[in-house]
Amino acid sequence: MIPSFTIDEKVRAYIRKSGQDFRLCTSPKGPVLLPIGTVESKPSDLKILIGSNVLYVSKLQAKYIKKIEWPMVERFLNQQS
């Protein structure tokens, strides 16, 4: 499956700078981008290479996402505060 969504450059830069792999997950407040370790990837996930890191996206969720954007990162960051 070829993803039909885009990834905001600010999200790409965050992933590259972090040096971590991430997974796009669902949450009650909407999609959230979590580092691997906080959540595990699944064998069926789409794997998108961003620099030397991987962004995992559920195949099911990929059908509904149009853009992976900064608020998805902020949901995680706000949980840390």
Side-chain angles (χ1 to χ4, degrees), residues 6-75:
T6 59
I7 304 169
D8 187 60
E9 185 52 41
K10 188 172 180 179
V11 174
R12 289 177 178 274
Y14 175 75
I15 291 172
R16 285 190 300 264
K17 185 177 179 183
S18 76
Q20 299 181 74
D21 296 336
F22 285 82
R23 184 170 193 262
L24 186 64
C25 303
T26 57
S27 79
K29 293 183 179 182
V32 60
L33 203 63
L34 298 173
I36 296 297
T38 303
V39 67
E40 294 300 318
S41 63
K42 295 183 179 179
S44 60
D45 286 348
L46 297 175
K47 297 172 184 81
I48 302 165
L49 193 60
I50 299 180
S52 60
N53 302 103
V54 178
L55 172 58
Y56 296 91
V57 180
S58 158
K59 282 187 180 181
L60 178 63
Q61 194 174 38
K63 295 177 187 178
Y64 303 102
I65 297 290
K66 291 186 180 4
K67 186 173 187 178
I68 297 176
E69 48 197 349
W70 187 248
M72 296 174 183
V73 174
E74 287 179 325
R75 285 186 190 105

